[in-house]
Structures are given as C-alpha cells and as structure tokens.
Amino acid sequence: MENKRRPGRTRSTEVGEVRTLERGLHLLEALSEAETLSLSELARRTELSPSTAYRLLETLRKRGFADWDEDRGLWKVGLRAYQVGSAFLTRGGLVDAAMPEMEKLVDELNETVNLAVLDGNEAVYIAQVEGRQLIRMFTRIGARAPLYCTGVGKALLMGHSEAETRRMLGAGPFRAFTDKTLTSPEAFLSAIGEAQKRGFALDNEEREEGVRCIAAPVRDNRGKVVASMSLSAPASRVPDERLDGLGQRVRRAADAVSARLGWAG
Amino acid sequence: MENKRRPGRTRSTEVGEVRTLERGLHLLEALSEAETLSLSELARRTELSPSTAYRLLETLRKRGFADWDEDRGLWKVGLRAYQVGSAFLTRGGLVDAAMPEMEKLVDELNETVNLAVLDGNEAVYIAQVEGRQLIRMFTRIGARAPLYCTGVGKALLMGHSEAETRRMLGAGPFRAFTDKTLTSPEAFLSAIGEAQKRGFALDNEEREEGVRCIAAPVRDNRGKVVASMSLSAPASRVPDERLDGLGQRVRRAADAVSARLGWAG
DNA sequence: ACAGATTTTGCGTGTATTGAAAAATACCCG
DNA sequence: CGGGTATTTTTCAATACACGCAAAATCTGT
C-alpha cells in the first residue's frame, strides 16, 4: 500500500533523488556488506570513479561514518554509523520492523498479537494488533506484566542463562493468578527449557483463566533477544492439537522480524 | 591555513568534503538525536532550507535510512541505518571480544557493565550488559559522556600522555554535575595518576549523585587503549571496603579482553 | 631500484543541487 | 463549516558544486 493520501502528487517526476547523497549511502551499504574494502574495490562495487569514491569516503570519515584502517589500507563502517543506527530501535523502529509480520499473523489467524520488551524485570507491551474477534484482551500498549506467568515473559527469557533468569525472577513463590500459574522458579525454568526445545513459549491460562498465549523471541543483529511476540486467544480456540502448528507459525513470524533486524541465525 | 577565499557568502569546500553528503549525514545525526522531528524542525536544526532538507530526507527515505511516519508527520531513523550501523560491531570485533567477559562480570557481581570507546573528546558507550537489580542506569548504547567525570573516561585516558590528556580535556573548569565532580585538569590528572597505580579508575559520584563506577582500560595487540570497561552501581553497594576487590575484578575482566585482542603485556 | 598498482590532488566543465517562491495540503479555532 | 496560519511538496532558473580526467604522490612486491 503506497501513501496515496497526497492527492497533490500529480506529476510523475521522481522528486527527491539527490545523486551525491545516494552515492554516499551506497558506499556505506557496500562497506557494511563486504569483507575486503580497499578504495578501488569499493569504487568498483559502487561503480564510481576512484576519485569520486575517495572524496565521498573522506567525507564519511570526517563525520565518523567510515573509518580508515591505516595499517591495512582498508575502509570500514565507523562508530557514528553505529550510533545513528542504534537510535533506530529506541525510536520505535522495533515496532516498525515487527508490525508487518504482526499484521500478517492477525490476518491469517485472526487473534490478537502483541509485542513486548524487557524493562527491569517486567515485560512491557509496546505494540498490538487486535484480532477481529469480539472477545477483548486485557493488555494495552504500555501495560506491564510479570515475566513468570506470561508468554511474552517466557519468550523474553529464552535467550538468557539460567542464572540470569533466576535473578530476574526473584526467589518465589510467585503470586498465583490462576491455579495453573507456575509459582516456583524451578517450574518456570523447566517450562523455559521446553520452550527452548520447541522454539516457542506457552502461557497456559497462567495469568488469566481461559486465556492461552503463544510467544516467540525476537533477536537483534547480534542474536540478543530484544523483544517477544505473542498470540493471545481464548483457550477454546487454542486446543492442544493446534498448539504446535500455531507455535511454529508465531515462531516463524518472530524469526522474520529477527531477520529484518539482521539476525542471520 | 586558508589561502584562497571565495568572495560571497558561501563557504569554500575543503579537500574531500562533499557538501551534499555532509548535509545528508548531518540530517541523519539530527534524526538520531532528537525525539520530535518534523521537517521544519529538522531544517532548523541542520540549518538547511526546508526544500533542501525535504529532498535529502526523501533520498534517505528511498534508501531506507530514514522513515516517515505518515500519521504523525514525523521523521525517524530507518531500518537500513540500523543494518548498516550494526556492521560496525562485526567489523572491529571489539564488542565480540568484550561481551563474554562483560557477561561473566554481570553474572558474578550483578551490576550493570558498560563498554566505551573514545570519540573526539568524549566517551561513547558501545555495549552494555544490564544487571538485574531494580535500579536502572541512565546510559544507553550510543550515548555520549564527558571524559572528566566518568569511570570509562578516566580509563580511556589512562594510556595517554599528560599532554594529550590535557588537550582532550580542555582548559576547565569543568561543569560540576555533583559536588564531588573534579572540575580542574589538575585534580583530574592526579586521579588518573592514582588510577594508573591501582590499575583501575574510579568515578566516585562525580557524574550522578549516588552512583559509583569502576573502570579499567582495554588494550589492543599493540598495547594502545582502545576501549574501557566499567561497572556502575549505587554507591551503597560499592563501599570503600569493597572498592579494591571490585577494582581488581573489573581490571581482570578488561585484561582478559585485552588478551583476546592479542595484548601480551 | 624499477615497474605496476593504488591512492590523492588539481582543475575545467557541465549539470546536479539549490533556495525562493508558489502551490498544495494539513492544522486550528471560532 | 470557513477562513487564517503553519507546514509540506513542487516548480524553476542560476550557479556553486561535484564530477571525472589525468597527473602526482604513495605504496608493493621482486
């Protein structure tokens, strides 16, 4: 869907194409992709003349977006590019990267899908796409939830060591929201273990009677778990037979987001 | 040295400075720094005419380096910038070398650990492993901090000569964040001297009331200080009696990273 | 020391970029 | 609704600026 809510776009002249800037960005991309990065090699890949590539790179370097390894005579991506790029996640970029997949999930399965991140030792919901079913979920954007009794919480901890997980959970016993709530660290850790084997986590009416959630972790470019995506539905619509299929589907969606963020794993 | 100056109001371009690219990069930086980012606001900050800023941003958007939030009418950093920037980490390998040690530290001591490098005359945080304590630290990846009042800053300067250190600090007096902040170059240099003797640097509530940091330098294969690692914690958890023990521990971690980078020293 | 390849610099040319201003659009408030 | 204001896109002519050529430095291997 393109943004066609600008009726004034009558002309077909492609506006906003500044060649010099495009070339510079292209160089940056080439820098981030390749391994061996001499000036001549870069010029070849970007199809620029050496002198042009040189001047652009020099500009990138002066701004810190590129670095010049004097010993090896090779170029690489600079600190400034990293700084600017890392603003992406904190400026709502994570949500942008995830929304398309979340919407796909909802289109397909017609259940509410949430995205959550870790904050302190709680999960915080940062995005939601509602299913069209009439039953309303309890979570809202910005809401917080404990880790031990939610799908997103479990998925968020799937990347962490047992020691870390224990620390974040605290000693227990945890408050039981329902009679299915896991109230001991041991029970939780065992659930996490299963989740890791399966690739997705489960909240089996542990927070709210009659609500099941299926969640999977989202990883950044280095493989660190930065968020988790969950599908929430009345237990009646998530019978045991469908569990595995739904789980795989949620996991695929989460993996797609991870891939977008540069996770190769 | 300016040998020939052009008549008129325009600044002549130095060697290897491509104005159009510089402007585009400047826009990216502005995008990464601020929160609310309308076109007009961006144009103001970068001192560009709205039409120029618009065209450059449009180019950035087409390449995915910037995003346009249609509903709010605001610009933000794009996914592509994130992908390109994250190549910085895989290139140097510094973070990869440091992360395991940082995680070990956090496992053991349960406090937040940061990794920073020198950029210009500031420290820039490039990696972080959070402790699980409830108290949250203020630093984020990509954030900048002065050298004179931080542990990482001091540790980064531990490898430099007094002359260099003075040059990077500037004349002083420095801004006092707390009443413990060292505001003169002399006081700072004396602190560095002590740090060199001990092998680790200390920020004793100099930046933030109630927060102590212990930091040690990381050296590359040639012994040059390329980064510093610090542990940050509420002062109450770093009493004087524990200072030396913690300092030695942080130093061991930093040395382990240095060893990984090939430093034999 | 020599040849060959690569990186920097200088310079004239042509055009891609620019800012003003206008047009289109969103926003505000009675 | 409707007119006024702020913001955004588009147009357009002038020229500052980026371009590529070619030559000069610099590096690399034998």
Side-chain angles (χ1 to χ4, degrees), chain B residues 231-258:
Chain B
L231 180 146
S232 305
S236 58
R237 291 205 293 269
V238 191
D240 289 343
E241 312 89 75
R242 290 190 68 199
L243 249 188
D244 199 61
L246 287 171
Q248 295 304 333
R249 183 65 194 83
V250 172
R251 188 193 169 176
R252 275 220 319 279
D255 285 349
V257 178
S258 302

Side-chain angles (χ1 to χ4, degrees), chain A residues 5-8 17-20 38-40 51 54-55 68:
Chain A
R5 47 186 308 247
R6 296 270 179 288
E17 293 199 348
V18 183
R19 194 181 61 163
T20 309
S38 66
L39 170 67
S40 44
S51 35
Y54 172 71
R55 266 178 310 237
W68 166 250

Side-chain angles (χ1 to χ4, degrees), chain A residues 99-250:
Chain A
M99 279 307 267
E101 291 299 330
M102 293 172 68
E103 276 159 3
K104 250 194 261 179
L105 266 186
V106 173
D107 277 352
E108 227 175 276
L109 304 171
N110 198 22
E111 303 287 358
T112 295
V113 171
N114 280 289
L115 189 74
V117 295
L118 200 56
D119 186 46
N121 49 9
E122 289 177 313
V124 177
Y125 293 93
I126 60 171
Q128 178 176 70
V129 180
E130 291 192 45
R132 295 176 294 271
Q133 305 278 1
L134 292 184
I135 295 179
R136 311 248 325 268
M137 284 293 119
F138 47 93
T139 42
R140 278 177 316 135
I141 286 178
R144 293 166 165 273
L147 297 172
Y148 67 89
C149 62
T150 55
V152 285
K154 284 180 192 144
L156 283 169
L157 290 175
M158 280 172 68
H160 294 68
S161 72
E162 183 179 319
E164 282 174 321
T165 303
R166 277 185 186 276
R167 239 195 324 271
M168 301 188 81
L169 286 172
F174 316 131
R175 174 178 163 200
F177 289 94
T178 75
D179 56 359
K180 295 210 178 75
T181 306
L182 308 177
T183 56
S184 75
E186 284 68 31
F188 182 87
L189 284 164
S190 140
I192 288 275
E194 279 181 48
Q196 257 151 356
K197 267 181 225 148
R198 277 191 315 239
F200 61 89
L202 181 63
D203 156 15
N204 184 28
E205 307 185 50
E206 297 160 34
R207 175 99 194 277
E208 182 109 350
E209 202 76 56
V211 176
R212 273 187 164 182
C213 299
I214 294 172
V218 173
R219 296 166 190 275
D220 70 5
N221 53 307
R222 298 215 332 278
K224 188 182 155 204
V225 174
V226 290
S228 67
M229 186 184 292
S230 85
L231 180 146
S232 305
S236 58
R237 291 205 294 268
V238 191
D240 289 344
E241 313 89 75
R242 290 190 68 199
L243 250 188
D244 199 61
L246 287 172
Q248 294 304 333
R249 184 65 194 85
V250 172

Side-chain angles (χ1 to χ4, degrees), chain B residues 88-98 261:
Chain B
F88 171 78
L89 294 179
T90 60
R91 193 96 8 261
L94 177 58
V95 172
D96 291 336
L261 297 177

